[in-house]
Structures are given as C-alpha cells and as structure tokens.
Amino acid sequence: MANNEQDQPWRLRVLLEPKGFIKILEFILSVCMFATTAGYSDDLLYTLSCINSPDDRKIHIEYPFQLNTVKVPEGCTTSADMYLGGDASGAAKFFVAIGVLAFLYVIAITAWYVFLEHKHLEWDLVPMVDFGIHCVFTFMFFIASCVWAAGVNEVKDHTDFDNMKADVLKDQCSGNQTCTLTGALSFASLNVSLLFGFLNVVVWGGNCWFVYKETSLFGNKRDTGNGDKATGPPDQKVEVPTNTI
C-alpha cells in the first residue's frame, strides 16, 4: 500500500486530514486579510458653501493610508496647500506583508504535502520546519493585527469630519463659509480586515497542534520510531551438550 502511494504523482487525501484541511482555511483567511486592506479606496464628500453658490469637494482615501500626503481641496478664498494629518502606512504595509507571506507559504507547504511528502517519508525535518513557521506566523499575525488596529483608529480619527473642520478645514469652514458632510467614509472593509487578522491568529495557533503531531517530537511518533529496535526476543544462550564417551 505504501509503495502504491509513493508511485502516485500526488496524494489529495491529505487535504481531508486536519493538517491539510486547515491549510485551506489558512489560505482563505490570509487572502481575505490582505485583500480587504490593500483594496480599500473611498471618497469623503462634503459641500463648501461659498458666497456665490455651494461647491462640492472630495477627499480620496486609499491604501497605504499615508494621510499626510493627501491634499485637501482649496477653499473659497484660500489657495494654500493643505494636507491631512497622520500616517498609518507603516502599520498597513506590515499587516498586508504578513498576509501575503502567509498566503505564499501555505501554497508552498500544501504543494509539499500533496505532491512530495508521500515520496520522502523519511524527511522528518520538513514537519519540524512547518511547526516552527506556524508558531512564528501565529505570533506575527497577533502583532500585525494589534498594530493595524491602532492604524485603523488613526485613519478614523484623522478623517473624522468634525476633527477635520477643527483642523485642516478650519479656515474653509468659518465665517460666512459653511461645510456640510454629504458622503462619509466607510470603514467596513478595514473592520473586516481586523477580524480576519485575529481569526488568522486563532486558526494558525490551533493548527500548531496538528502540525506538531506530525513531528518527531510527538510521543506516539517517537515511540513508533524506537519500537522496531525494542521489539524482538532477547538474545538467548544455547547450551550445546558435550559427548562424554
């Protein structure tokens, strides 16, 4: 039976095992994690009432959320360049990078389990490496999610229209000029990205146990490896009778 499996070019049955099935979940969660962040793009719309007539204004916000480079539209009488405050690009890029690296790793290790593992059953190093990388990714997902949570709060704070009117829009929205919000930013995508980030922590952390069971550190596997040497009857001395003639 083992020889037949080694002759096959792949072993899709591994995807039905916990270590393979959870890899599919990791793949989906890692893609959703960075896609919901890197794909964010929205416009903040407001109306500036000048002396003559109301004028529509738009501020475009997108990944990587380097807000201090986002220019604020000119006012009715002011023409000086004004920019939003804050910069969440570092947290956003780190969060996306962890998701992309996890996505690539899942593809590579799944290919190993499906196409190569059954041909190299004696390679105990690969499960050990997989276990170590899972532990590292679990920690990195947690750090990246916490950092990005602070980044999302920073984006929300600096794009809050009331805060903007008290800061960068202070000159535009004073006196006879009034500013009215007509289209607020939607942060649903960013909130969902945080959910996927912390879900990755749970899934990758839980899969550490199933990957650990595949390593030589696991008790049953260690005992099985030593069992061949321990089995078998002990050496017995055979006495040969001597002829007394």
Side-chain angles (χ1 to χ4, degrees), residues 128-199:
M128 290 289 294
V129 172
D130 189 22
F131 172 68
I133 292 179
H134 265 74
C135 293
V136 171
F137 266 117
T138 301
F139 176 74
M140 296 305 293
F141 275 124
F142 178 74
I143 297 298
S145 298
C146 292
V147 171
W148 179 226
V152 171
N153 287 332
E154 182 178 1
V155 173
K156 292 180 178 180
D157 182 63
H158 286 283
T159 56
D160 180 78
F161 194 65
D162 292 333
N163 294 339
M164 292 173 61
K165 287 195 298 182
D167 188 13
V168 294
L169 298 179
K170 180 173 59 176
D171 295 334
Q172 298 186 23
C173 306
S174 61
N176 296 328
Q177 303 172 155
T178 58
C179 300
T180 304
L181 180 66
T182 58
L185 294 172
S186 174
F187 296 105
S189 176
L190 301 187
N191 293 333
V192 171
S193 71
L194 288 174
L195 176 62
F196 284 126
F198 285 107
L199 278 176

Side-chain angles (χ1 to χ4, degrees), residues 15-237:
L15 298 178
L16 301 178
E17 301 173 1
K19 68 177 181 181
F21 176 74
I22 298 180
K23 288 289 189 297
I24 299 176
L25 294 179
E26 293 174 346
F27 176 87
I28 295 174
L29 291 177
S30 61
V31 170
C32 293
M33 170 181 164
F34 70 78
T36 52
T37 305
Y40 182 86
S41 178
D42 200 6
D43 295 321
L44 185 147
L45 306 175
Y46 66 98
T47 300
L48 177 61
S49 298
C50 298
I51 299 176
N52 297 327
S53 61
D55 193 9
D56 294 331
R57 295 286 195 269
K58 178 178 71 174
I59 299 178
H60 185 68
I61 306 296
E62 63 180 356
Y63 175 84
F65 309 101
Q66 195 170 357
L67 302 179
N68 53 12
T69 63
V70 177
K71 188 176 180 180
V72 177
E74 297 179 355
C76 300
T77 58
T78 59
S79 59
D81 292 341
M82 297 291 293
Y83 297 89
L84 294 178
D87 183 5
S89 61
K93 290 178 180 178
F94 178 61
F95 187 75
V96 169
I98 296 300
V100 172
L101 290 175
F103 159 76
L104 296 175
Y105 174 73
V106 169
I107 294 177
I109 195 63
T110 303
W112 162 264
Y113 283 133
V114 173
F115 296 103
L116 297 174
E117 184 191 31
H118 61 289
K119 298 180 181 179
H120 304 282
L121 296 176
E122 72 281 1
W123 289 12
D124 294 333
L125 180 62
V126 175
M128 290 289 294
V129 172
D130 189 22
F131 172 68
I133 292 179
H134 265 74
C135 293
V136 171
F137 266 117
T138 301
F139 176 74
M140 296 305 293
F141 275 124
F142 178 74
I143 297 298
S145 298
C146 292
V147 171
W148 179 226
V152 171
N153 287 332
E154 182 178 1
V155 173
K156 292 180 178 180
D157 182 63
H158 286 283
T159 56
D160 180 78
F161 194 65
D162 292 333
N163 294 339
M164 292 173 61
K165 287 195 298 182
D167 188 13
V168 294
L169 298 179
K170 180 173 59 176
D171 295 334
Q172 298 186 23
C173 306
S174 61
N176 296 328
Q177 303 172 155
T178 58
C179 300
T180 304
L181 180 66
T182 58
L185 294 172
S186 174
F187 296 105
S189 176
L190 301 187
N191 293 333
V192 171
S193 71
L194 288 174
L195 176 62
F196 284 126
F198 285 107
L199 278 176
N200 271 297
V201 177
V202 176
V203 173
W204 284 73
N207 198 26
C208 286
W209 166 248
F210 295 104
V211 177
Y212 171 73
K213 291 175 64 177
E214 300 295 325
T215 67
S216 57
L217 298 176
F218 188 63
N220 292 339
K221 198 162 188 174
R222 183 175 64 250
D223 294 342
T224 303
N226 297 332
D228 294 340
K229 298 180 180 179
T231 57
D235 295 339
Q236 298 180 354
K237 295 182 179 180

